[in-house]
Amino acid sequence: PNKLGGVIALIMSIAILFLMPLLHTNETQGLQFYPLNQILFWYMVIMILLLTWVGARPVEAPYIITGQILTILYFSYYIINPLIIKLWDNMLNS
């Protein structure tokens, strides 16, 4: 319902995708060594599919709150993912 919030969220979602390679500081390059991040990857795929589905629904009561919750979960992935990578690297190096 808030157009400015939607525009800011759209810009942030694209900006995060451009910033991720710059913030990539893993000791290993692949996700095969990070089992928790493999689960988070599929969590992200589901979030994108659900956000796409909600975006195609009319702007009505159940879809508004669903879209807001899914948006928060979408952006939380970019906070949780690097933290779990650091945690996993610390556990392996201990």
Side-chain angles (χ1 to χ4, degrees):
N2 184 355
K3 291 189 185 275
L4 179 61
V7 170
I8 291 172
L10 176 67
I11 291 170
M12 291 297 294
S13 66
I14 294 170
I16 283 177
L17 296 176
F18 282 115
L19 290 175
M20 286 303 285
L22 300 174
L23 300 174
H24 183 71
T25 59
N26 302 359
E27 291 183 13
T28 58
Q29 295 297 318
L31 280 181
Q32 66 266 22
F33 301 111
Y34 299 106
L36 293 175
N37 290 75
Q38 291 175 357
I39 295 169
L40 279 177
F41 169 77
W42 290 109
Y43 161 84
M44 183 64 167
V45 169
I46 292 169
M47 286 302 112
I48 291 172
L49 291 174
L50 287 174
L51 278 169
T52 302
W53 176 75
V54 168
R57 302 287 111 204
V59 183
E60 294 177 352
Y63 303 117
I64 294 172
I65 190 69
T66 304
Q68 291 172 347
I69 291 170
L70 290 173
T71 302
I72 291 170
L73 293 174
Y74 172 83
F75 285 111
S76 69
Y77 169 81
Y78 294 106
I79 296 170
I80 294 170
N81 191 32
L83 294 176
I84 290 181
I85 288 174
K86 297 272 188 217
L87 175 72
W88 197 259
D89 284 341
N90 289 339
M91 286 174 37
L92 292 177
N93 291 332
S94 298

